[in-house]
Amino acid sequence: FEQVLGLNRVTRNRMAAGHRHLCIFTMLDMIIFALLMYRFSMVSGPLMGFVILLTAAAICGTGLVLTLRFRARVPSFDHRIDKLLSNLAVFFLVVGALQAFLGISAGDIGLVLQAGLLVLLGFATRRRIATLHHPMFVDWYGSGKEGASKLSLDEVYASCPSCSSLLAVIPSRLSRQDRCPNCDGLLVTISKEE
């Protein structure tokens, strides 16, 4: 019964493991961000270097607090981690692109390789954001530490036949005109048998 109406124990364990993974990934992103900012401060003048280090310390401190609150499953901190990861992804992509340009211009293969790794990290960070938006993760995160589902009694999870998005639906109320909120594809498809 619990399996039909909400998140079963296996799913809750997978969500908890994904949540731990996101926390660790966010902390690693923050460490890489701090190292990059330290490197930028070393190649800048003393005043600019100080400003860069001060900015990095503020952002890393905020990131640490956000990650710890996210780890504790405090409401709305999933949205804040989403914003943090989005900004870090953009930072890594921009810095990676700039370093690639500089590395190619200077013929420095090491800088080009580092740029490639930063671009990959930016894309990997963007992929982690999708987890935060997944309906099962949102349901699990919002349910608190006990893991109770927020589905109503007649709702079930179903996937869109077009984009495979996970949706909470009431089967008895589905019609042929209902569309997926993500891809706008039809939720009820009729296959013609010959």
Side-chain angles (χ1 to χ4, degrees):
F1 188 72
E2 179 187 37
Q3 198 165 7
V4 172
L5 295 179
L7 301 174
N8 63 25
R9 187 179 340 182
V10 173
T11 304
R12 284 193 307 266
N13 290 342
R14 285 184 184 161
M15 293 296 125
H19 180 250
R20 280 190 305 273
H21 175 78
L22 276 170
C23 292
I24 292 168
F25 189 84
T26 303
M27 292 306 295
L28 291 173
D29 272 359
M30 293 306 300
I31 291 169
I32 293 168
F33 171 79
L35 291 172
L36 284 169
M37 293 299 278
Y38 175 75
R39 180 172 172 229
F40 295 153
S41 72
M42 293 295 111
V43 297
S44 302
L47 181 60
M48 184 56 110
F50 177 74
V51 170
I52 289 172
L53 285 178
L54 193 62
T55 303
I59 292 171
C60 288
T62 303
L64 177 64
V65 170
L66 289 176
T67 304
L68 292 175
R69 301 292 285 171
F70 174 69
R71 185 173 182 261
R73 291 175 66 183
V74 174
S76 82
F77 274 82
D78 54 338
H79 301 296
R80 294 175 185 176
I81 284 292
D82 177 0
K83 301 298 182 222
L84 175 67
L85 288 175
S86 295
N87 289 329
L88 286 172
V90 169
F91 175 80
F92 293 141
L93 290 169
V94 169
V95 170
L98 289 173
Q99 283 189 344
F101 176 73
L102 293 173
I104 291 169
S105 299
D108 185 354
I109 191 71
L111 195 57
V112 173
L113 288 174
Q114 182 179 343
L117 292 173
L118 282 174
V119 168
L120 286 175
L121 180 61
F123 284 121
T125 301
R126 298 255 329 135
R127 287 188 61 205
R128 298 296 173 263
I129 296 168
T131 302
L132 292 167
H133 296 281
H134 194 282
M136 288 182 76
F137 184 83
V138 171
D139 186 44
W140 175 85
Y141 186 86
S143 67
K145 295 200 184 280
E146 63 279 348
S149 176
K150 291 184 177 180
L151 288 177
S152 69
L153 214 48
D154 49 353
E155 283 183 320
V156 295
Y157 284 117
S159 64
C160 170
S162 301
C163 69
S164 300
S165 292
L166 190 65
L167 307 167
V169 298
I170 300 173
S172 61
R173 293 188 184 170
L174 281 176
S175 70
R176 291 184 184 178
Q177 292 79 28
D178 288 332
R179 296 191 169 274
C180 174
N182 297 319
C183 72
D184 204 35
L186 291 173
L187 292 177
V188 178
T189 57
I190 306 297
S191 61
K192 295 184 180 185
E193 295 180 20
E194 294 186 60

